[in-house]
Amino acid sequence: VEAVAELSERIPEVSVYLVGDGPKLSHIKRLVKKYGISDVFEFVGRVEHNELPKYYRSADIFTLTSQTENHPIAMMEAMSCATPPVVPSIGWIPNMITNGKDGLILENRSPSEFAISWLNLLQNPSRIERLGSNARKTAIADFQWETKAEQLLQIFQNMSAK
């Protein structure tokens, strides 16, 4: 929320869709009110899984601000919709995307780092398009069930051959 407040000072027309709910939602709403950016946020709430692609496709950027994450499905879904992720360097994420090629990985995860990354992308639509296109290619090549099943089968075959 602090990062969005910082960004909205530079790009007043920015808008954020927060899709989903959870135990931190009321805290997030309080922060939005505290920073005076209620007009920037749209709290969509929980949506059916088949409705998610329309939100991913309408977004310029997908952001994950988790402090812990293993293998984020929401990020993979966004990438499959050609929406580039701006995400922290946590869990398995650095093994899932290549920083600067199909998304941005933030090392320090500060609000300012998010705001600066968003600002740089929003001021460069062709970079968003390139990252998004590459994100989709990565999702198709690496995140499909068939690909994962094949990789797992190969691991089992290698283990049984030893």
Side-chain angles (χ1 to χ4, degrees):
V1 174
E2 186 179 334
V4 173
E6 190 175 321
L7 178 65
S8 69
E9 291 174 8
R10 303 285 294 279
I11 305 177
E13 67 277 8
V14 72
S15 60
V16 174
Y17 293 97
L18 189 69
V19 178
D21 55 15
K24 294 185 178 184
L25 185 59
S26 60
H27 176 69
I28 292 168
K29 286 182 176 182
R30 281 194 301 275
L31 285 175
V32 165
K33 189 173 182 179
K34 174 186 169 188
Y35 283 101
I37 53 174
S38 297
D39 57 324
V40 172
F41 273 82
E42 181 175 332
F43 292 95
V44 177
R46 189 174 194 74
V47 298
E48 294 297 321
H49 193 264
N50 64 337
E51 292 291 314
L52 289 173
K54 85 175 180 185
Y55 289 99
Y56 293 132
R57 287 187 193 108
S58 70
D60 292 316
I61 302 166
F62 170 83
T63 297
L64 187 69
T65 59
S66 304
Q67 293 182 12
T68 60
E69 195 74 51
N70 186 24
H71 207 256
I73 291 173
M75 183 187 81
M76 293 186 285
E77 291 171 339
M79 290 173 70
S80 73
C81 293
T83 304
V86 175
V87 292
S89 179
I90 56 172
W92 195 250
I93 289 174
N95 299 299
M96 298 172 72
I97 66 175
T98 303
N99 190 30
K101 179 183 174 211
D102 48 14
L104 298 180
I105 300 174
L106 307 183
E107 293 298 329
N108 122 8
R109 296 185 358 237
S110 71
S112 288
E113 187 179 22
F114 275 99
I116 290 166
S117 297
W118 296 333
L119 179 65
N120 289 337
L121 287 177
L122 292 171
Q123 291 177 333
N124 190 345
S126 63
R127 186 166 184 220
I128 290 176
E129 188 175 323
R130 182 176 41 79
L131 288 171
S133 175
N134 288 337
R136 177 151 173 77
K137 289 174 187 171
T138 296
I140 290 169
D142 297 347
F143 304 151
Q144 291 190 6
W145 287 112
E146 296 82 6
T147 304
K148 291 298 178 191
E150 231 174 82
Q151 291 170 346
L152 190 57
L153 179 61
Q154 187 64 47
I155 290 169
F156 288 146
Q157 289 172 339
N158 290 343
M159 290 172 57
S160 66
K162 291 182 180 182

